[in-house]
Amino acid sequence: MPRPTRHVFVCSQQRPPGHPRGSCAAKGASALLQAFWAELQKRQAYDHVAITYSGCMGPCEGGPNVLVYPEAVLYQGIKTEDVTEIFDSHLEQGQVVERLQADKSIW
Amino acid sequence: MPRPTRHVFVCSQQRPPGHPRGSCAAKGASALLQAFWAELQKRQAYDHVAITYSGCMGPCEGGPNVLVYPEAVLYQGIKTEDVTEIFDSHLEQGQVVERLQADKSIW
């Protein structure tokens, strides 16, 4: 892929059931990743947006975590139905979706 | 972890032996990731550098791929012995290690 304008990292960390930190995988990260990839395909935005899964980014309790660079914006507790808004606003227009952004005390 | 000044993504994508695209895992990504984590621990740089593994970032043929944000600098063909220089120069000082940077035609 070419160097993207915005790069989305979807935490897909797995942990065993009952692990005290939980995991983004246990909180729906797989479906979320698929939703991002499906939206990318629908929009054919491959020339300026990249979607990549990643390992743990730290603040597991608020997951699933989605981190967007180059702005270093962390979204937390994202649902598949939020993906369109993140594309429309942030990935395409550069407008951070503030209601989904992690608290400043966390990131 | 707190919001880092620089965030390193080490591609750890696996593919079956003989796959035409190869993979960063087959090119030493696991040892490379461990080297980055070890260096992070040695420097106790957790407050300003993050190291995260990731899925495929695209240009597999030149892997292992290491992507550093917020500058969106892609390093390719990195060896464990390059890790110290990347820390000293880029992660700590903001000076890109040009000899390890992917060709402009790729990224």
Side-chain angles (χ1 to χ4, degrees):
Chain A
M1 66 193 187
R3 180 171 169 162
T5 304
R6 293 200 168 78
H7 201 150
V8 179
F9 294 90
V10 180
C11 178
S12 301
Q13 185 72 50
Q14 298 186 37
R15 292 198 179 93
H19 189 288
R21 294 186 69 183
S23 71
C24 287
K27 292 172 180 166
S30 179
L32 186 60
L33 178 64
Q34 296 300 328
F36 269 105
W37 276 339
E39 192 68 24
L40 182 70
Q41 184 172 33
K42 180 181 165 190
R43 294 173 188 241
Q44 289 291 304
Y46 297 102
D47 61 337
H48 60 289
V49 174
I51 311 288
T52 303
Y53 62 85
S54 83
C56 184
M57 299 188 287
C60 313
E61 60 287 340
N65 291 316
V66 172
L67 182 55
V68 181
Y69 275 107
E71 295 94 347
V73 167
L74 180 67
Y75 294 117
Q76 289 203 300
I78 303 305
K79 295 178 170 49
T80 55
E81 52 265 40
D82 298 320
V83 168
T84 303
E85 183 178 355
I86 292 172
F87 260 92
D88 281 342
S89 181
H90 189 165
L91 304 182
E92 299 286 4
Q93 309 279 352
Q95 300 291 324
V96 174
V97 184
E98 292 184 8
R99 71 177 183 87
L100 300 174
Q101 202 172 358
D103 189 86
K104 299 292 182 194
S105 65
I106 291 171
W107 180 263
Chain B
M1 65 196 186
R3 180 170 168 162
T5 305
R6 293 201 168 77
H7 202 151
V8 180
F9 293 91
V10 180
C11 178
S12 301
Q13 183 72 50
Q14 298 186 38
R15 292 198 178 92
H19 190 288
R21 293 187 69 183
S23 71
C24 287
K27 290 171 181 168
S30 180
L32 186 60
L33 177 64
Q34 296 299 328
F36 269 106
W37 276 339
E39 192 68 23
L40 182 69
Q41 184 172 33
K42 180 181 165 190
R43 295 173 187 242
Q44 290 290 303
Y46 297 101
D47 61 338
H48 59 289
V49 174
I51 311 289
T52 304
Y53 62 84
S54 83
C56 184
M57 300 187 289
C60 313
E61 59 288 342
N65 292 315
V66 172
L67 181 55
V68 181
Y69 275 106
E71 295 91 350
V73 168
L74 181 68
Y75 293 117
Q76 289 203 299
I78 303 304
K79 295 177 170 48
T80 56
E81 53 264 40
D82 299 320
V83 168
T84 303
E85 183 178 356
I86 292 172
F87 260 93
D88 281 343
S89 181
H90 189 165
L91 304 183
E92 299 285 6
Q93 309 278 352
Q95 300 291 323
V96 174
V97 184
E98 293 185 8
R99 70 177 183 88
L100 300 174
Q101 201 172 359
D103 190 87
K104 299 291 181 194
S105 66
I106 291 171
W107 180 264

